[in-house]
Amino acid sequence: MQLNLRRPIAVVVLAFAAIGFARTARATNTAEAAVRTTMFDEPSTKNEGVRVYHPQVDLSATVASTLAIAGGYSADVVTGATPATFDVVSAATKFSDTRHLGHASAGFERPDGGIGFSFAYGTESDYRSTVFSGTTHHDLYEHNFTLALAYSHNWDRVCDADNTAAAGQPLALVALPSSAGCFTNTMGITTQKLNIDTFEPSLSWTMTPRLVVQGGATIQILDGFQSNPYRKVLVGSQNRTPQERHPQFRQRYALFFRMAYAFPDLRASALLMVRGYDDSWAVRAITGDLVGTKYIGQYLLVSGRAHWHEQTAASFYRDADGYRILGPAGQFWTGDRELSPMGNYLLGGKIAFFRRPMQERSSWFVEMELGGKYEFLYYRPESAVAPNADRKYAQIVQGAFAMRF
Amino acid sequence: MHSLCFSKILILLGTLAVGGCSISKWTVKPHQRELLADRIMQLDAEAQERAAEEHILSNREGAIGGTGTSGGGCGCN
């Protein structure tokens, strides 16, 4: 089973979203229940690739127009094959696993602001994540400005091979063979810690009756084990294959700008996001995202999305040939595609159908929504021997159903 | 010279801070927020859908952030 290292990031995003979900429900409805399933399919030219099914259930409600509560569950059912060693010849190893994630949140809203707290817990055979988040927001100048602050802390635990014998000899690090024995005090298996602090300030401004803009930052500090315990990297002409080795510390920074502009004559809107990113591992990136949404008739909503991302490599990254010929770049090495110089481009569309009861009839629901989405994600690696260069693209399909009361 | 410019800036900022009446000229009034209240104008609408999207992209990109917090929107509530 291949460990997915961006899981802590995903849990943090979900924790923040849980608070936002509760707040949104409070602003426009009294209760909401939603079911969503996402399929991520990433084929490979060399093996069966990776497929992930992500079902999720979310519930939210407001109590006394002040207290907003929400909760939910989601899972990642992952199957596929991926090389255990980052080199040019290794065959893929099959794996499968299921990750379970539960979250709950509560928020207190007042006319000019509010505060919310969220708790999330994720578990799978080789990774456990506990996240606590808090957000607060306050409206200024007749609700034309909204200042928001969010903070979260992860207490993550990662299963790893016991490499005590390799202390001081990083090239002797041994990879974890499988998730068997994780979190059970099995000899040869240990548990590593990873603590993550994430801070997000933002300021929104209602500039005109048709334009809202938002600027903000994301600051994240990671302290702990951040390597893939299963992955080995072939380094040097002696064909040594130690376990992947990343630095213990990482500081990540992002500045972002978002805006929403209305086209009332078209019954449409455009949402734009631009992000600049930098971190202490020397990865720098720029990302853009554009979504256009339009009403068709009274009950139909269609949207199109374009996403673009370009990034540089981590300071200790080399492609497979580089590691084999030149050896490691310093004392760290990686086979992680997300630390390589690359870009990706996404195009997609979504359609949603809304059903509201007739006004003259009483009804047990306020609104019903049924939607579907398809997105195509194209990868552009730097070289043919970059990590996962055999995977050219991915497809994302999502179906959702929501009831509002 | 620099202290004179700095003083002018301070006076300007103080005038803006105290002159709440003048700021209200530039604010969007509640009766003008009809478009902003629509779901397609919400920066943070569909929070769980965005979480699912970020779940995918955060696993396929080396960058994070840009999703904003629960702030933003029309302030219509």
Side-chain angles (χ1 to χ4, degrees), chain A residues 52-84:
Chain A
V52 182
Y53 293 96
H54 180 76
Q56 62 183 101
V57 178
D58 299 289
L59 304 171
S60 70
T62 57
V63 179
S65 300
T66 302
L67 173 64
I69 56 175
Y73 165 82
S74 66
D76 281 329
V77 182
V78 186
T79 58
T82 187

Side-chain angles (χ1 to χ4, degrees), chain A residues 4 6 10 23 42 76 99 142 144 148 204 252 258 269 275 295 307 311 337 350 354 356 367 373, chain B residues 27-28 33 36 38-40 43-44 49 53 55 58-62 64-65 67-70 72 75:
Chain A
N4 191 330
R6 266 132 315 272
R23 179 166 178 262
E42 187 178 80
D76 281 329
R99 179 176 75 109
E142 302 176 19
N144 278 263
S204 305
R252 313 178 76 177
R258 301 197 294 168
S269 71
R275 175 185 68 196
Y295 285 106
H307 177 93
Q311 69 176 57
R337 169 174 51 182
K350 173 187 169 183
F354 297 91
R356 301 185 188 93
E367 186 178 80
K373 179 169 70 176
Chain B
T27 59
V28 177
R33 295 172 184 267
L36 302 174
D38 197 297
R39 75 181 81 215
I40 66 174
L43 289 172
D44 295 306
E49 179 184 347
E53 290 176 353
H55 179 54
S58 65
N59 283 282
R60 287 297 176 261
E61 294 176 353
I64 59 164
T67 57
T69 62
S70 58

Side-chain angles (χ1 to χ4, degrees), chain A residues 111-401:
Chain A
D112 287 340
I115 189 169
F117 300 97
S118 172
F119 174 80
Y121 180 74
T123 181
E124 58 187 295
S125 60
D126 54 13
Y127 200 101
R128 292 176 180 171
S129 180
T130 305
V131 186
F132 178 78
S133 305
T135 71
T136 182
H137 66 95
H138 188 75
D139 291 348
L140 305 166
Y141 292 116
E142 302 176 19
H143 300 288
N144 278 263
F145 291 88
T146 300
L147 178 64
L149 300 172
Y151 170 77
S152 76
H153 183 85
N154 279 54
W155 293 269
D156 288 2
R157 297 295 179 265
V158 188
C159 184
D160 187 21
D162 186 352
N163 278 299
T164 305
Q169 304 173 68
L171 289 174
L173 290 171
V174 175
L176 184 67
S178 73
S179 61
C182 286
F183 305 118
T184 59
N185 295 323
T186 301
M187 186 172 293
I189 304 290
T190 188
T191 299
Q192 303 277 11
K193 294 181 181 179
L194 174 59
N195 293 309
I196 306 172
D197 292 282
T198 308
F199 182 63
E200 273 202 352
S202 69
L203 179 65
S204 305
W205 179 18
T206 305
M207 290 186 71
T208 75
R210 295 168 60 170
L211 175 63
V212 176
V213 299
Q214 182 185 68
T218 302
I219 302 131
Q220 188 173 78
I221 300 172
L222 298 93
D223 180 4
F225 186 79
Q226 299 173 58
S227 309
N228 182 331
Y230 301 99
R231 184 182 291 140
K232 296 176 282 187
V233 180
L234 192 151
V235 292
S237 57
Q238 295 180 342
N239 292 335
R240 301 191 69 167
T241 55
Q243 183 191 50
E244 176 178 85
R245 188 168 189 250
H246 292 173
Q248 289 279 311
F249 299 98
R250 188 178 189 184
Q251 294 106 48
R252 313 178 76 177
Y253 311 98
L255 291 175
F256 63 87
F257 171 81
R258 301 197 294 168
M259 61 176 280
Y261 188 79
F263 299 92
D265 294 340
L266 299 176
R267 299 178 65 213
S269 71
L271 273 64
L272 171 71
M273 186 279 287
V274 178
R275 175 185 68 196
Y277 170 89
D278 192 5
D279 70 25
S280 59
W281 290 3
V283 177
R284 293 182 176 176
I286 184 164
T287 309
D289 197 287
L290 180 64
V291 177
T293 307
K294 177 176 168 54
Y295 285 106
I296 304 293
Q298 192 176 359
Y299 301 117
L300 208 59
L301 196 63
V302 295
S303 66
R305 181 185 183 194
H307 177 93
W308 165 73
H309 175 82
E310 294 281 349
Q311 69 176 57
T312 63
S315 58
F316 49 88
Y317 168 82
R318 286 194 168 131
D319 64 19
D321 285 342
Y323 278 125
R324 177 175 58 82
I325 297 170
L326 301 173
Q331 57 181 319
F332 305 107
W333 43 88
T334 182
D336 190 343
R337 169 174 51 182
E338 284 69 50
L339 296 179
S340 70
M342 58 91 169
N344 64 43
Y345 315 103
L346 181 147
L347 282 177
K350 173 187 169 183
I351 185 167
F353 175 74
F354 297 91
R355 181 73 174 93
R356 301 185 188 93
M358 302 296 287
Q359 288 184 353
E360 59 269 21
R361 299 179 188 174
S362 62
S363 177
W364 57 280
F365 71 97
V366 173
E367 186 178 80
M368 194 183 303
E369 178 184 348
L370 181 66
K373 179 169 70 176
Y374 173 81
E375 293 177 336
F376 184 86
L377 180 61
Y378 172 76
Y379 303 125
R380 187 189 55 76
E382 180 198 47
S383 73
V385 289
N388 294 332
D390 56 307
R391 301 178 191 174
K392 309 297 184 185
Y393 65 91
Q395 299 183 88
I396 303 157
V397 179
Q398 184 182 95
F401 177 74

